[in-house]
Amino acid sequence: MVAVDNLTVSYRQHPALHHISGQFVAGALTAVMGPNGSGKSTLLKSIMGLLKPAGGQVRTDTPRARIAYLPQMTEIDRSFPLQVRDCVLLGAWGSVGVMGGISRSLQARADAAIHTVGLAGFERRAVGSLSSGQFQRVLFARLLLQDAQLILLDEPFNAMDARTTAALLDLIHQWKAEGRTVIAVLHDDAQVHAHFDQTVLLARELVAWGPTAQVLTEPNVQRARALAEAWDDTADICHNDEVLA
């Protein structure tokens, strides 16, 4: 479904990802892990097409309309005066479009999605009045309405309480049972071991990629930390044409 071929992504000509190659398993739950600043979010944005590679490429056989992307919550403006149901209905934007109307069946689907994430009765609440956990549930309900085949989640459980995390993990397992592919940036080793089949371990360059039990070994984790500490963001800009072309 998604293949990464010698991918390099740079910010101000300093690599955030450096010659990454691998293939995501279709229908699997894959965690993307690594130290802070290791390029995890950059990888998801590259798959989504939000960043232009400095080298290499990302190939996917999934149409853009069937790809869902949930960024980190800190990147989402919650101040816009929007009700929960309207926020969830934005998940149908790809199929309804600018001129399309909101049918009763679509509203029913939105309400069903809100019920699925445990927020029945919140349909007319302003999203700005919700807690972080409640708002994340709303965003997952929006993903349900989008009906994507490939789902990209950037730190979906960050600052979430245990109850919300468990509910959203149940939903992710439901997506897997439906044959959908989920790629998520995560930080909790135990959570990844318990729920995710595959893991990509990054430290700007690739440390390991494959079944979680084989990737999240102590030697690999130590190597990722060492590589992350070795990167020098104050070094001279690299002008290697092979990397930056």
Side-chain angles (χ1 to χ4, degrees), residues 155-166:
E155 299 189 16
F157 311 125
N158 192 30
M160 295 297 106
D161 60 86
R163 182 181 177 185
T164 298
T165 298

Side-chain angles (χ1 to χ4, degrees), residues 153-210:
L153 308 172
D154 196 349
E155 299 189 16
F157 311 125
N158 192 30
M160 295 297 106
D161 60 86
R163 182 181 177 185
T164 298
T165 298
L168 298 183
L169 279 168
D170 285 345
L171 189 52
I172 287 174
H173 280 288
Q174 177 183 321
W175 286 334
K176 179 186 176 182
E178 294 168 350
R180 306 178 198 271
T181 302
V182 179
I183 304 171
V185 171
L186 298 169
H187 294 280
D188 189 323
D189 287 17
Q191 188 180 82
V192 172
H193 275 290
H195 298 282
F196 285 77
D197 319 295
Q198 300 275 313
T199 297
V200 179
L201 182 58
L202 297 174
R204 300 201 189 184
E205 61 185 77
L206 181 63
V207 178
W209 189 327

Side-chain angles (χ1 to χ4, degrees), residues 1-211:
M1 177 168 287
V2 181
V4 181
D5 183 15
N6 201 29
L7 178 67
T8 293
V9 181
S10 299
Y11 295 107
R12 295 179 298 277
Q13 294 183 284
H14 288 282
L17 287 175
H18 198 241
H19 296 299
I20 306 296
S21 294
Q23 186 167 333
F24 289 93
V25 177
L29 306 182
T30 300
V32 180
M33 300 193 71
N36 290 336
S38 60
K40 302 183 295 296
S41 296
T42 299
L43 179 58
L44 261 62
K45 290 177 180 178
S46 299
I47 295 171
M48 192 62 194
L50 300 177
L51 295 175
K52 182 179 179 181
Q57 62 180 331
V58 177
R59 302 190 308 274
T60 176
D61 60 7
T62 305
R64 179 68 178 267
R66 298 300 307 279
I67 303 176
Y69 170 59
L70 181 62
Q72 294 183 26
M73 193 173 295
T74 55
E75 299 181 22
I76 301 174
D77 182 9
R78 296 175 57 189
S79 63
F80 192 80
L82 197 65
Q83 293 183 355
V84 166
R85 180 188 284 130
D86 294 331
C87 184
V88 172
L89 282 167
L90 288 174
W93 178 272
S95 58
V96 174
V98 177
M99 303 303 293
I102 304 300
S103 64
R104 288 187 178 181
S105 62
L106 185 55
Q107 289 192 41
R109 284 180 55 205
D111 289 345
I114 293 168
H115 183 272
T116 297
V117 299
L119 289 180
F122 282 67
E123 291 82 1
R124 296 188 179 277
R125 287 275 296 273
V127 295
S129 69
L130 304 178
S131 68
S132 294
Q134 290 168 339
F135 183 58
Q136 193 72 322
R137 288 175 185 249
V138 170
L139 297 178
F140 267 70
R142 189 172 70 181
L143 292 176
L144 281 171
L145 211 64
Q146 189 169 344
D147 192 28
Q149 189 62 34
L150 173 61
I151 302 167
L152 311 174
L153 308 172
D154 196 349
E155 299 189 16
F157 311 125
N158 192 30
M160 295 297 106
D161 60 86
R163 182 181 177 185
T164 298
T165 298
L168 298 183
L169 279 168
D170 285 345
L171 189 52
I172 287 174
H173 280 288
Q174 177 183 321
W175 286 334
K176 179 186 176 182
E178 294 168 350
R180 306 178 198 271
T181 302
V182 179
I183 304 171
V185 171
L186 298 169
H187 294 280
D188 189 323
D189 287 17
Q191 188 180 82
V192 172
H193 275 290
H195 298 282
F196 285 77
D197 319 295
Q198 300 275 313
T199 297
V200 179
L201 182 58
L202 297 174
R204 300 201 189 184
E205 61 185 77
L206 181 63
V207 178
W209 189 327

